[in-house]
Amino acid sequence: MTKCLMIQGTASNAGKSLIVAALCRIYARRGYKVAPFKSQNMSLNSYTTKENKEIAIAQVLQSQAAMIEPTVDMNPILLKPKGSSISQVIIQGEAIGDKDFFRQYDSKNDDLINEADYRKIAKGAVIDSLNKLKEEYEIIIMEGAGSPAEINLREGDLANMGAAEIADANVLLVGDIDKGGVFASVAGTFMLLDDADRSRFKGVIINKFRGNVDLLDSGIERLEEIIKVPVLGIVPYAENLNLPEEDSASLKEHEWNKNFSKDSENADDHIIIGVVKLPKIANFTDIDPFESEEDVEVRMIELYNYKEKINDLDALILPGTRNSTEDMKELEKTGLADEIRKMANDKNKFIIGICGGYQILGKKIIDKNHKESALDEIEGLGLLDIESEFIREGKIVKQSTAHIDLNVDLKDNTTLSKDDITPIQEIEIMENIFSPINGEEISGYELHEGTTNLINSKPLFKIVKGIGNNDNDTYDGAYKDNVFGTYFHGIFNNYNLRRELLNHLRKNKGLEIKTGADPFETSVENSLEELANIVEETLDMDYIDKLIFDE
């Protein structure tokens, strides 16, 4: 019989996701078939599974920790915020519409999903996905969302105690001591729960501790008297792990540039890559591979505080966004759009767009159906001769394999361009950079609403396999001079492409060329192992074993 253990937190970003990942790796190393499960996740960082279904990126990391392939059943409900309290609702990997989560209503005439329909569909999906995992795995490590003490949301809850009730799971509560007030937040959580929910809590984990653990002894003793369950351990703040973040809330606490001093004034001894922190930033895990490079500084560029941060950049990335039209408006409003255009004039610097960022690089974004905003269209940065339009029903959700293809003549590909396509000028910069790997395979995944037409730019990738779609050859991405964009998320996980781009930047600055094994792939696996070791050493695993196997 499959055993379920649930990890909940006193608040968002308490460390639930990584505790789940650690437990998945611990039990996988012991030879158990273990899977992660998060019934409901609200996140803009998502991933396409091999089923061509969409799930949160956190469950992908947890499945990697469990040494298994991620599936849609590990995250049956995914909510992607669109703004104004409205989120896109994704059930078992497929978008079914939008819902206003701040407004309770049951009108069948509303364009949004009504409350009664949502609860019925969502609960059915949670039960169905959990049962499917139980058929295949011996242990399921579940993750809550936010805090179970949001008592105003208890009725109909599927994220925390409602999910624990469905799974009949014991629960461990994680408190973040780094934020302060951990004893009050743990005790307050217990006090706000009713007797039935409180009875499921079997232990507490104090997370992200810095300092001497002996100082906590008296506080822990008093806390255990109040809540009547044991504190199972104190997990130290793990500063050197290189693991994907779950959502934009974690960006505030993420320690960027661990290899570089904040006071360093020398920009010539390393590569500096700026990442625009768009208001609706999504899938920012695309930039994680750069953090594993010892000579690369990743710098977040705030829209309202950018002037001192962009002058010495070697490259700038416009990441994914849940709303490219609105974010383009903000770029213009803050003046950052003009600064990016100026930066593009320096051919030694590079501008890169991914997904929504790719759309922003173009001449125009057309949205006559108002899928993203009230605007019919908006001018983009104009750095690529492309136009993007929101015309499709539903989302493009797929994994794909492609070849880098620098020899495409757009005049022979009418599906990619308008009938009046103009001749393409000779473009050498990107071709020089990627010519050593021309024809090599890369992989990625797409999650977007909208298509892009190339007018006077060349595509970068020739897709040779789109899983779950027709395997007809198509193209992705565009490049011109020192600017390129792509719909492929995970593009820089391809070490061959990342290596060639960085080596070109290194050559420009007279730095040492890097070769050898992929530091990102190594660092993620090493980080998962280190995380599992830390958790196994600091928690009472004998007690947790009994919770899983003896009850």
Side-chain angles (χ1 to χ4, degrees):
M1 181 178 176
T2 302
K3 306 291 185 178
C4 297
L5 177 69
M6 191 169 196
I7 308 299
Q8 296 185 13
T10 55
S12 294
N13 207 31
K16 302 182 296 292
S17 295
L18 292 188
I19 295 295
V20 169
L23 292 174
C24 283
R25 176 54 60 96
I26 289 168
Y27 287 107
R29 290 192 306 202
R30 295 181 185 179
Y32 292 101
K33 295 181 66 177
V34 57
F37 179 79
K38 185 161 185 171
S39 56
Q40 178 176 295
N41 203 338
M42 178 174 281
S43 177
L44 287 175
N45 276 358
S46 57
Y47 177 84
T48 304
T49 67
K50 282 190 173 179
E51 313 135 297
N52 283 344
K53 305 290 186 180
E54 189 174 0
I55 65 171
I57 202 75
Q59 280 60 69
V60 177
L61 177 68
Q62 291 162 355
S63 69
Q64 183 176 351
M67 305 180 194
I68 57 176
E69 181 72 28
T71 70
V72 69
D73 292 314
M74 296 172 187
N75 175 213
I77 307 171
L78 175 60
L79 307 176
K80 305 190 79 171
K82 300 179 70 173
S84 301
S85 79
I86 293 175
S87 292
Q88 182 182 54
V89 177
I90 297 167
I91 300 292
Q92 292 183 310
E94 296 186 1
I96 65 168
D98 296 338
K99 185 180 186 309
D100 188 335
F101 283 87
F102 285 1
R103 184 161 62 98
Q104 302 297 318
Y105 56 89
D106 288 297
S107 171
K108 295 292 184 180
N109 297 321
D110 202 301
D111 290 337
L112 302 174
I113 300 170
N114 69 65
E115 188 71 17
D117 287 347
Y118 171 74
R119 289 190 182 188
K120 180 179 180 181
I121 295 169
K123 185 174 183 178
V126 170
I127 294 171
D128 180 62
S129 288
L130 187 60
N131 286 338
K132 287 178 181 176
L133 292 180
K134 284 182 176 181
E135 290 176 1
E136 188 172 352
Y137 296 97
E138 300 170 277
I139 302 171
I140 297 175
I141 308 296
M142 303 171 61
E143 179 186 349
S147 164
E150 306 292 349
I151 52 178
N152 55 310
L153 302 176
R154 178 61 181 94
E155 183 181 358
D157 168 62
L158 291 172
N160 290 294
M161 300 314 302
E165 186 177 9
I166 290 170
D168 192 21
N170 289 319
V171 181
L172 303 181
L173 182 66
V174 178
D176 180 358
I177 197 170
D178 195 52
K179 287 188 175 78
V182 70
F183 296 127
S185 60
V186 170
T189 298
F190 272 73
M191 295 305 164
L192 287 173
L193 300 175
D194 63 28
D195 291 342
D197 286 345
R198 193 183 303 119
S199 68
R200 292 193 178 278
F201 281 87
K202 306 298 182 182
V204 169
I205 298 169
I206 294 178
N207 196 26
K208 303 183 185 180
F209 182 71
R210 311 174 196 245
N212 182 355
V213 295
D214 294 337
L215 296 175
L216 298 180
D217 286 348
S218 60
I220 289 174
E221 182 177 351
R222 181 73 183 103
L223 179 66
E224 290 179 333
E225 291 175 359
I226 293 170
I227 63 177
K228 305 296 192 255
V229 300
V231 173
L232 302 182
I234 302 164
V235 180
Y237 198 108
E239 300 189 49
N240 297 315
L241 299 180
N242 186 21
L243 297 171
E245 302 283 6
E246 180 173 7
D247 54 41
S248 57
S250 60
L251 284 177
K252 298 175 184 177
E253 300 181 9
H254 187 85
E255 296 186 25
W256 302 99
N257 313 319
K258 299 168 188 173
N259 299 324
F260 303 96
S261 168
K262 293 181 180 178
D263 300 324
S264 176
E265 297 180 357
N266 188 359
D268 295 327
D269 61 359
H270 64 283
I271 302 301
I272 305 175
I273 296 178
V275 180
V276 180
K277 191 178 179 183
L278 297 167
K280 297 294 189 297
I281 188 171
N283 284 72
F284 52 83
T285 50
D286 288 334
I287 65 177
D288 286 349
F290 290 114
E291 283 204 283
S292 66
E293 304 279 353
E294 292 182 355
D295 62 344
V296 175
E297 174 186 345
V298 176
R299 184 182 296 173
M300 272 290 166
I301 309 297
E302 305 276 352
L303 265 67
Y304 289 89
N305 183 26
Y306 61 83
K307 292 187 177 179
E308 296 180 0
K309 297 183 178 181
I310 62 174
N311 293 331
D312 55 356
L313 297 181
D314 298 297
L316 181 72
I317 296 175
L318 288 156
T321 166
R322 188 60 191 82
N323 196 317
S324 55
T325 54
E326 291 294 331
D327 283 359
M328 183 61 223
K329 282 174 58 179
E330 289 297 308
L331 287 173
E332 293 285 14
K333 179 180 177 181
T334 61
L336 183 54
D338 285 336
E339 294 297 330
I340 296 172
R341 293 181 183 111
K342 291 177 185 176
M343 182 178 172
N345 291 329
D346 184 342
K347 302 308 179 187
N348 288 321
K349 298 188 176 186
F350 291 85
I351 313 292
I352 303 161
I354 303 173
C355 199
Y358 172 39
Q359 294 171 345
I360 287 171
L361 288 178
K363 288 186 172 182
K364 192 178 293 185
I365 303 172
I366 303 166
D367 188 12
K368 293 180 180 178
N369 295 317
H370 300 160
K371 297 194 73 172
E372 287 200 341
S373 75
L375 297 173
D376 286 344
E377 63 180 55
I378 188 171
E379 291 186 2
L381 292 172
L383 300 180
L384 287 175
D385 291 329
I386 62 174
E387 290 184 356
S388 300
E389 185 171 6
F390 294 97
I391 57 176
R392 285 179 181 251
E393 291 297 326
K395 298 179 70 171
I396 296 173
V397 180
K398 65 178 181 177
Q399 286 189 2
S400 293
T401 301
H403 291 159
I404 296 172
D405 193 341
L406 305 176
N407 305 312
V408 177
D409 183 353
L410 277 184
K411 290 177 288 186
D412 294 332
N413 294 281
T414 55
T415 58
L416 291 177
S417 57
K418 294 186 175 180
D419 293 336
D420 58 349
I421 186 168
T422 56
I424 294 179
Q425 63 187 26
E426 287 298 318
I427 301 171
E428 297 182 353
I429 296 177
M430 292 299 170
E431 292 172 2
N432 286 339
I433 292 174
F434 296 125
S435 59
I437 55 173
N438 190 30
E440 287 192 17
E441 184 175 285
I442 58 112
S443 62
Y445 60 97
E446 296 182 49
L447 294 166
H448 58 96
E449 294 176 280
T451 57
T452 296
N453 292 320
L454 279 66
I455 300 172
N456 197 33
S457 296
K458 288 184 178 181
L460 187 57
F461 307 128
K462 183 178 183 180
I463 299 175
V464 294
K465 186 177 182 184
I467 301 174
N469 298 282
N470 293 330
D471 290 336
N472 297 329
D473 288 347
T474 55
Y475 293 86
D476 172 77
Y479 69 100
K480 187 176 183 182
D481 296 328
N482 56 332
V483 180
F484 78 87
T486 175
Y487 275 121
F488 273 31
H489 290 293
I491 188 64
F492 295 115
N493 292 55
N494 295 277
Y495 182 45
N496 51 354
L497 184 143
R498 184 174 86 248
R499 180 193 63 228
E500 295 305 318
L501 175 65
L502 290 178
N503 278 342
H504 182 85
L505 296 176
R506 290 171 179 132
K507 288 177 186 177
N508 285 348
K509 301 186 83 167
L511 302 177
E512 179 185 357
I513 300 303
K514 303 285 186 180
T515 56
D518 181 357
F520 177 64
E521 185 176 328
T522 302
S523 66
V524 170
E525 185 57 31
N526 289 346
S527 292
L528 285 171
E529 283 292 314
E530 182 181 351
L531 174 67
N533 290 340
I534 291 171
V535 170
E536 193 166 29
E537 290 168 4
T538 54
L539 296 190
D540 186 343
M541 290 304 301
D542 289 338
Y543 182 92
I544 294 174
D545 287 344
K546 290 178 181 178
L547 289 180
I548 294 175
F549 299 114
D550 292 352
E551 293 193 11

